[in-house]
Amino acid sequence: MRKTFASILVAGSVLIATAETVAAASQEKVTVAYFREWPTANQVAQAEKWYDEALGVTVEWRPFDTGVEMAEAMVAGEVDIAYSMGVVPFALAVAAGAPIKVVGVAVDTGGADNCVIYKKEAIDRANAHELEGRKVAVPLNTVTHYKMLRSLDFLGVDVAKVEVTDMSPHDIDDAFLRGELAMGCSWGGPLRRMKGQGWELLSANEQDRLGIRAFDVIAVTDAFAAEHPEMVTGFLAVTDRAIDYLDDEPEAAKPVIAEAAGMTPRESEIVLSLFDFYTRDDQLTERWMGGGVQTFLKEVADFFQQQGEIDAALDDYSASVDASFYEKAD
């Protein structure tokens, strides 16, 4: 089951060379990673090109299926900013040496990702141990993977005996609907479709009571942050503007977000209802960029180390979180 970030990172000298190359290049465009079927407030700004206007360059939006893929692209110098990278992929990538940092919290995801038991399986939380020996699919090294491991641990399931398969969200969705999985763990549109053919192993409220948090971050490469700090601050300011617009004009914002996310208005609104977005004042509180993000990164990495998923966590994640850009955002 184990899949490390070693395969996506190269020797330290090459990483440094990559960062220097990116920093030295003239910035004619900014490339931003985002998730398919993951509606977020900032997609109004994406669709209306508010970011292009504020940053003074063309902003290219590249869709990805997982935060692991986002991290790979950032290390390769192909992406400058990742909007809504899962906190788990970020923590594990940084532990492996990826030159990236958190500059904000993209979204508090709540129950937007979860594990669903296939409808023909007589399995629930009371007999969850029957997942042992069965096939379960999840995108490895993601927030959903973390929540799955925490849930199975709470329910007394020996994860070493579960046939855990690494799959993309849409592949999980397809395999689940064909009846090939006892349980599928995913998010967004794929999760919505799976829930129509099964039930959640643990509800979002149950996970919350267990202290299983989930949120996505706004990450940037170290090179981009060093060379273009004003663009990072500008990106955050525009993001806050979009969040305010969704709050003030929801009926105008929601159709735009749904189209940008590639979802129907109804599907998009259901997922959006599970999300919380935070602007500058909330971002800078102790719960988030003022200490909470750093603490949670450490907790996540330590948990994955204990599970044997990574070789070692960092001693401290403070250097991987930089609130200074939000402090300067108007």
Side-chain angles (χ1 to χ4, degrees), residues 2 7 65 94 100 128 252 285 289 322 326:
R2 185 176 180 187
S7 61
D65 287 325
V94 169
I100 57 178
T285 61
M289 298 294 286
D322 191 342
Y326 242 126

Side-chain angles (χ1 to χ4, degrees), residues 71-127:
E72 292 174 349
M74 295 181 84
V75 169
E78 298 170 358
V79 167
D80 303 303
I81 302 171
Y83 186 89
S84 214
M85 177 189 285
V87 67
V88 171
F90 177 86
L92 302 188
V94 169
I100 57 178
K101 60 171 53 100
V102 170
V103 295
V105 174
V107 54
D108 189 350
T109 58
D113 59 344
N114 212 330
C115 293
V116 181
I117 301 292
Y118 187 60
K119 62 182 179 181
K120 293 184 179 179
E121 302 289 342
I123 298 174
D124 57 25
R125 60 174 296 167
N127 64 340

Side-chain angles (χ1 to χ4, degrees), residues 90 100-105 217-220 222 225 229 232-234 236-237 240 279-294 297 317-330:
F90 177 86
I100 57 178
K101 60 171 53 100
V102 170
V103 295
V105 174
V217 300
I218 305 170
V220 301
D222 290 348
V232 178
T233 296
L236 297 175
D240 280 9
T279 53
R280 180 182 181 277
D281 289 346
D282 286 325
Q283 293 268 356
L284 296 176
T285 61
E286 210 170 288
R287 175 174 173 80
W288 297 112
M289 298 294 286
V293 174
Q294 296 89 325
L297 285 168
Y317 278 80
S318 298
S320 301
V321 180
D322 191 342
S324 68
F325 300 99
Y326 242 126
E327 290 168 355
K328 298 171 186 174
D330 295 327

